[in-house]
Amino acid sequence: MTDDDALARLREMQTADLPVHGGRTLAYVYDSGLPDVDRIGREAVAAYAGSNGLDPTAFPSLLQMENDLVGYTADLLDAPADAVGTVTSGGTESCLLAVQGARDSRPDVERPRMVVASTVHAAFLKAAHYFGVEAVVVPVGPDFRADAAAMLAAVDEDPDRTVLVVVSAPSYAHGVIDPVTEVAPAAAARGIRCHVDACIGGWVLPFAARIGRDVPPWTFAVDGVTSISVDTHKYAYAPKGTSVLMHRSPAHRRPQYFAHADWPGYTMLNSTIQSTKSGGPLAGAWAVVQSLGDAGYERLTREVFEAVDRIVAGVAAIPELTLVAVPDSTLVAFVTDDTCDAFTICDEMATREWYVQPQMSYAGQPPNVHLSVSAATLAHVDEFLAALAESVAAAVAVGPVGVDPGVAAFIETLDPATLSDDDFDGLLAASGLVGGGEGLALPDRMAEVNAMLDLASPAMREALLVAFLDRLARPNR
Ligand SMILES: Cc1ncc(COP(=O)(O)O)c(C=O)c1O
């Protein structure tokens, strides 16, 4: 291809993707709605795309940017004067490192465990899996907030092996803030680290408090909070690829470092999982934060909360819908009554060019619709609510989605641990996840597939979707 052809082809391929601007994609992306912010972010990423964050002495400008960004974050999080932080590649890496650091801060513990609320992000279960830390998952209370007493009771079952307690501000699924003041000081009293996962709320809640909204305490101002994760690629509206992991003190961060000099090459010294890492995302985040500053974020926070308040009121006015919880932040989740279903509503919204995210049933909670609201959505809230009302009416008209009883019975008999590749292929075909012709394709409407997955156990869902993704990810040759 010529250079122009390659770039044209990229633009063409990208038309298949969800739009990242325009405020109509209410998952995965966070849109300030400000073209200049997008432009400066993109230009900064491009300018630093080839720089390598592996060695801050070779690329001192990256160190300068990281220290600036961490300093700005520290102020947002009420961090003490000697707090330190690291810019990572995203929320999951920050959560992974919080767990790895906690584990390695206790080399005396042979079989480390951590106590987490059942609403913590799946990244913590990934960390448990990667780092051999047992995750003790404690059900949340009826308001979807961590049950502090139950978490502490779980800690006390084996305090000597417990290296970490994790709560969220807010949790992804329900958008509520855990009772950090009840958990963190009690963890500290037992000499145990407490991580607050504010990946999604960390950049918006401090500004929400500044503009006078009611925000329960969750920052380093709470005694016993030892680390906090905050994603700049979410509500700092920066390009994808950065998050900040803050620690209360340098001693808390120390076990996060990996150093290796005992080989014939350069001494490898890393504060993150990546070693070579593009300077692009860091430069993009730095530039966007410089450009928006406190005033910009306060304005965007007013906008996003005005959008949230109007969406909450609009959802409450649709008789078939009920909010899962009154949101503490910018995430909204709602369930339906039995005249319709969440999955069909998601499909209907998609036909109206709104992307909203289905969440499966969990622990007795029915499937629901999840929105990550961006500042850019404010300009389109009336249109969103009109589309939602139409989508609900359309979903009521067709009635709740069903699953073929034969498929449902078949799924019940399956054990994901013993399924063969052929079994997976049969089930993928039966479930509609396999398209004709070119092989795999997603159907236009996902309600039937989602309803089928919703019937399956979480382990079966995992197995099916892994099998599906595995078949999607095959080289074009
Ligand atoms: C609370 C929370 N923690 C962690 C993550 C993981 O972040 P990432 O997708 O950037 O890896 C998310 C993502 O939505 C989140 O909401």
Side-chain angles (χ1 to χ4, degrees), residues 343 359-365 367 403-404 407-416 419 424 427 431 433 447-465:
F343 302 134
Q359 294 191 133
M360 301 272 153
S361 53
Y362 174 78
Q365 274 303 303
V403 177
D404 180 277
V407 175
F410 181 47
I411 291 173
E412 293 243 319
T413 65
L414 296 175
D415 173 1
L419 278 188
F424 279 128
L427 198 60
S431 65
L433 280 172
E448 278 80 11
V449 174
N450 282 330
M452 187 213 63
L453 289 170
D454 196 56
L455 275 186
S457 65
M460 192 65 208
R461 280 176 210 160
E462 291 161 6
L464 265 177
L465 291 172

Side-chain angles (χ1 to χ4, degrees), residues 251-330:
H252 285 98
R253 179 174 62 180
R254 185 61 53 82
Q256 183 186 311
Y257 285 107
F258 177 83
H260 192 77
D262 193 9
W263 75 304
Y266 58 91
T267 297
M268 197 164 93
L269 190 53
N270 298 149
S271 58
T272 60
I273 294 174
Q274 289 181 305
S275 189
T276 280
K277 56 186 172 191
S278 169
L282 171 59
W286 184 91
V288 165
V289 170
Q290 302 305 316
S291 155
L292 281 168
D294 284 0
Y297 285 116
E298 276 180 32
R299 194 175 66 242
L300 290 170
T301 302
R302 279 181 207 284
E303 290 175 7
V304 73
F305 276 104
E306 188 183 335
V308 168
D309 291 344
R310 285 171 57 190
I311 289 172
V312 163
V315 167
I318 299 177
E320 291 84 358
L321 305 183
T322 307
L323 285 174
V324 172
V326 176
D328 284 334
S329 185
T330 52

Side-chain angles (χ1 to χ4, degrees), residues 30 90-93 95 121 123 170 172 197 199-200 231 233-234:
Y30 304 83
T92 298
E93 190 179 2
C95 299
H121 193 274
Y172 181 81
D197 180 13
C199 278
I200 203 155
D231 293 355
H233 68 191
K234 293 191 171 82

